[in-house]
Amino acid sequence: MGKSSKVIEVDKISVRFSGDSGDGMQLTGNLFSQTSAVYGNDISTFPDYPADIRAPQGTIGGVSGFQVNFGQGVTTPGDLTDVLVAMNPAALKANAVFMKPGGTIIIDVDSFEAKGLEKAGYQTDDPVFEDKLEGFNIIKAPISSLTRESVKDLALDNKSVLRSKNMFALGLVFWLFDRPIEHTQAFIKNKFGSKPLIMEANLKVLQAGHDYGYTIQAVTPSYHINPTESRKGIYRNLNGNKAAAWGFLLAAEKSGLSLFLGSYPITPATEILQELAARKDLGVKVFQAEDEIAGVCTAIGASFSGALGITSTSGPGLALKTEAIGLAVMSELPLVVVNVQRGGPSTGLPTKTEQADLLQALFGRNGESPVVVMAASTPVNCFDYAFYASKIAIEHMTPVILLTDGFLANGTQQWRVPDDDEFPVISVPTSHQKPGEFQPYLRNEERLSRDWVFPGTKGFEHRIGGLEKDVKSGNISHDGPNHQLMVNLRQEKLARVADFIPELEVIGEVSAELLVVGWGGTYGHLFTAIEEMNQAGFKVALAHFNYINPLPKNTQEVLSRYKKMVICELNLGQFAGFLRMKFPQFSYHQFNKVQGLPFTVQELKNQFVELLES
């Protein structure tokens, strides 16, 4: 590309695309992320959707954003934004507070007219002054008018023309970061191949945006980010929902079972349903149920018949599935429930992230009803934990709740397609009992799991259900001592899962003065914070939990090493309360956030410094 007056060399940088929910910002961000990944950069993304399906155009409530952090050693989408693309005044108003001092702001100056400024809540016609942006590099690009100019020879109406202006912004940002546009050109040709006029318009506008970069290079800095050295292999950009779906596909393959998903659409979990529905070629059976209860019940029925039964949901749906999960506990059938957590309670914040369903997952059922609870910690390891949740459910004949969250579900990272031998075979429980003498609740000595015999197996006819079972025959029993025994056996069966999961690992030195404790989707921010703290001379370590019920066997030993601990979570302290219940001998500090947003690295570091100096 042509050189600008200044080329800034950086290891990593964050860009946010922002505009109305109809401006195509999610697509623009995804295309830029994919190109950066192809170039060889690590990426981490944070799509930020409005909750309303169609908020009033031009208002802050309707702003849709997509932030991507790319470069070397990227583990979070970035606290603050280095480069902001604001397609209208509301986008600028909503995001100015998240800008890094001295950063670059690209605005569509055509949209900054009186009506747009008023809708965004500006009091004057000078948003730069109102938002105190005088120290920023502001590129006032006439994006809308140049979009019209670039396609004036095409027979398109004004609405269709302006729908392609996101490609102008993308082309300009490609120039800014010395990124090739060929990958996006190929995408446009593939997506709009059946609509040649739309295809040509988007191609022209993309090129016009890229060319515009040359015209402003004398006054605009560009950026150079070196590619990351990575392990050889096939890579994909993957978000957490798609990763979870693919993990279940691998579990079905490694177990030799057919995969069944019974689910009801709910934000932000619906994409798991959509992704698996597209895999009929792999034998997947998907049932879009009429409600959450039907979804989980069909999955339990599929499990009874010998399939890998999965159901996906978010917090409100998990509440509705509660009774049926208890049925899976009583009948001791394998079942995986994915809960993609969102802000609550009730309908809450449907498009925002939170970690406030932990206690519901642990205890939200009637009676003594233990289930395995696991949590993924990055978008791409949703693949791993979907696989291992399935493995535990099958081999231990138990329901497993896998917790992810909106941040993981929608965020993307580079994912290396694993080799076939990187994941173990899943052993499906079988029965060695004699035909005609089958006892459904006869248990494996090592795991205390019962045999899994599928309906239709001659000589192994049996009934299971929600009423308590006799410990030997499996017949219905109302005997008190027998109930005590069965309750103890189900609890002990769950406890023995700890023998089959990894021990808790600590990142950092044993001599650390502060142990940071986290779980689930906070991993990237916590890891980056403690890494930067240690580089600055502090002594901080991180213990991050993916297995929560049961906890890793060495949890008490790890916690006992440190005099000062802080538990960080996106709720009011649910995991902290759980650890206090399990290990009351330790003292725990808490750092909690419930704003529908992830932690920022800076606020974590500030908290850790305060604790170290107190």
Side-chain angles (χ1 to χ4, degrees):
M1 76 172 189
K3 295 295 182 182
S4 66
S5 59
K6 183 180 180 182
V7 178
I8 302 173
E9 296 270 352
V10 291
D11 291 331
K12 52 191 170 186
I13 198 166
S14 61
V15 182
R16 177 176 282 249
F17 299 90
S18 188
D20 258 325
S21 56
D23 283 341
M25 294 295 95
Q26 304 302 322
L27 174 62
T28 307
N30 269 312
L31 291 173
F32 183 80
S33 302
Q34 290 168 14
T35 298
S36 296
V38 169
Y39 183 75
N41 293 135
D42 296 330
I43 66 166
S44 178
T45 72
F46 178 47
D48 189 15
Y49 305 94
D52 295 330
I53 294 174
R54 190 64 174 153
Q57 192 171 15
T59 63
I60 291 178
V63 171
S64 176
F66 188 105
Q67 182 157 315
V68 54
N69 195 16
F70 63 102
Q72 301 179 13
V74 170
T75 55
T76 77
D79 285 2
L80 299 175
T81 307
D82 295 279
V83 177
L84 170 67
V85 178
M87 300 298 283
N88 63 11
L92 179 62
K93 187 76 171 178
N95 293 287
V97 67
F98 300 114
M99 282 299 299
K100 192 174 290 184
T104 296
I105 302 174
I106 301 170
I107 65 172
D108 179 8
V109 70
D110 294 331
S111 67
F112 279 68
E113 83 295 338
K115 186 177 180 181
L117 291 166
E118 183 183 353
K119 280 187 176 182
Y122 285 107
Q123 303 301 312
T124 70
D125 61 356
D126 189 356
V128 173
F129 173 77
E130 283 195 45
D131 288 333
K132 299 180 175 60
L133 302 175
E134 290 85 354
F136 291 81
N137 174 40
I138 299 179
I139 303 173
K140 297 180 179 181
I143 293 176
S144 296
S145 57
L146 289 179
T147 296
R148 292 190 186 95
E149 178 67 20
S150 63
V151 296
K152 64 181 180 181
D153 57 334
L154 300 179
L156 287 171
D157 61 88
N158 187 59
K159 183 178 180 181
S160 298
V161 169
L162 290 181
R163 287 186 67 181
S164 63
K165 67 180 181 180
N166 61 325
M167 290 297 106
F168 189 99
L170 181 59
L172 175 54
V173 175
F174 276 150
W175 177 86
L176 203 63
F177 293 101
D178 195 13
R179 291 289 182 264
I181 64 173
E182 288 77 16
H183 302 290
T184 299
Q185 288 172 328
F187 170 84
I188 291 170
K189 291 174 183 177
N190 181 64
K191 182 176 179 64
F192 299 113
S194 60
K195 300 176 180 178
L197 202 60
I198 300 296
M199 178 184 72
E200 187 177 358
N202 279 278
L203 290 171
K204 280 178 172 287
V205 174
L206 178 69
Q207 187 66 56
H210 196 263
D211 293 344
Y212 183 72
Y214 287 91
T215 69
I216 61 172
Q217 60 183 303
V219 295
T220 303
S222 61
Y223 300 85
H224 180 73
I225 301 97
N226 290 318
T228 305
E229 291 186 15
S230 59
R231 180 178 170 186
K232 290 184 178 180
I234 300 171
Y235 284 81
R236 295 285 184 268
N237 276 5
L238 213 58
N239 67 25
N241 276 341
K242 186 172 287 190
W246 289 10
F248 291 132
L249 292 172
L250 180 63
E253 179 184 335
K254 290 287 188 177
S255 65
L257 300 173
S258 61
L259 175 60
F260 178 91
L261 177 81
S263 287
Y264 180 77
I266 184 172
T267 302
T270 303
E271 192 179 4
I272 299 174
L273 172 65
Q274 294 170 328
E275 183 64 23
L276 289 177
R279 304 314 312 182
K280 292 180 182 178
D281 58 323
L282 297 178
V284 178
K285 296 179 176 64
V286 169
F287 174 61
Q288 182 177 322
E290 65 269 25
D291 56 36
E292 296 282 2
I293 298 170
V296 65
C297 287
T298 56
I300 293 171
S303 178
F304 176 66
S305 69
L308 171 55
I310 310 290
T311 187
S312 55
T313 190
S314 189
L318 184 63
L320 290 168
K321 295 179 190 291
T322 291
E323 184 180 1
I325 295 171
L327 171 62
V329 172
M330 178 65 82
S331 57
E332 299 189 45
L333 285 167
L335 171 73
V336 181
V337 181
V338 188
N339 177 14
V340 186
Q341 300 167 97
R342 71 190 206 189
S346 187
T347 312
L349 303 173
T351 61
K352 307 300 181 182
T353 197
E354 203 165 270
Q355 287 186 297
D357 295 349
L358 178 59
L359 293 182
Q360 180 182 207
L362 288 167
F363 306 118
R365 292 163 298 282
N366 66 297
E368 294 290 342
S369 185
V371 302
V372 175
V373 178
M374 300 167 56
S377 51
T378 70
V380 295
N381 79 17
C382 288
F383 177 90
D384 304 65
Y385 289 104
F387 174 84
Y388 284 108
S390 304
K391 186 175 189 293
I392 289 172
I394 292 168
E395 294 182 347
H396 296 264
M397 293 293 287
T398 183
V400 177
I401 295 178
L402 173 62
L403 298 173
T404 71
D405 56 53
F407 172 66
L408 298 181
N410 296 316
T412 56
Q413 288 179 312
Q414 272 189 309
W415 176 72
R416 187 186 62 81
V417 178
D419 298 327
D420 184 64
D421 60 358
E422 290 184 44
F423 287 82
V425 170
I426 297 176
S427 300
V428 178
T430 56
S431 180
H432 300 288
Q433 299 181 52
K434 294 180 181 179
E437 300 178 6
F438 178 59
Q439 297 182 44
Y441 286 86
L442 195 65
R443 297 182 182 276
N444 172 289
E445 291 185 5
E446 184 181 27
R447 293 184 173 89
L448 289 184
S449 56
R450 73 176 188 85
D451 296 344
W452 194 13
V453 176
F454 309 150
T457 306
K458 190 173 181 181
F460 289 83
E461 296 82 2
H462 64 285
R463 292 177 297 174
I464 58 175
L467 290 169
E468 185 60 280
K469 309 293 182 290
D470 180 79
V471 69
K472 293 182 179 180
S473 68
N475 293 331
I476 294 170
S477 171
H478 299 292
D479 178 68
N482 175 79
H483 176 56
Q484 174 85 54
L485 181 57
M486 289 295 280
V487 165
N488 291 343
L489 282 169
R490 286 189 289 265
Q491 184 61 46
E492 176 61 22
K493 183 177 76 165
L494 179 130
R496 291 194 185 185
V497 173
D499 295 330
F500 299 87
I501 62 176
E503 290 196 338
L504 179 64
E505 295 184 1
V506 176
I507 300 169
E509 298 181 9
V510 177
S511 60
E513 298 172 5
L514 175 67
L515 178 67
V516 177
V517 177
W519 67 275
T522 58
Y523 171 78
H525 295 86
L526 294 177
F527 173 82
T528 303
I530 69 118
E531 187 177 51
E532 293 182 6
M533 291 279 290
N534 288 329
Q535 289 171 355
F538 294 94
K539 293 183 178 181
V540 187
L542 172 64
H544 203 82
F545 287 80
N546 296 104
Y547 294 90
I548 296 174
N549 197 33
L551 291 164
K553 294 180 71 173
N554 66 328
T555 298
Q556 181 173 336
E557 188 271 326
V558 167
L559 299 182
S560 68
R561 299 176 198 164
Y562 303 91
K563 293 182 178 180
K564 189 173 288 188
M565 289 180 279
V566 58
I567 303 171
C568 305
E569 45 187 330
L570 300 178
N571 57 47
L572 294 182
Q574 297 188 15
F575 190 52
F578 184 60
L579 287 181
R580 286 191 181 98
M581 183 178 73
K582 292 288 186 180
F583 309 109
Q585 68 270 39
F586 301 127
S587 176
Y588 308 93
H589 296 277
Q590 292 179 213
F591 183 48
N592 304 104
K593 180 177 180 178
V594 193
Q595 298 178 18
L597 294 169
F599 286 119
T600 67
V601 172
Q602 190 58 53
E603 68 188 358
L604 289 168
K605 289 165 61 178
N606 292 343
Q607 182 70 17
F608 301 159
V609 169
E610 183 179 327
L611 284 170
L612 286 167
E613 293 179 348
S614 64

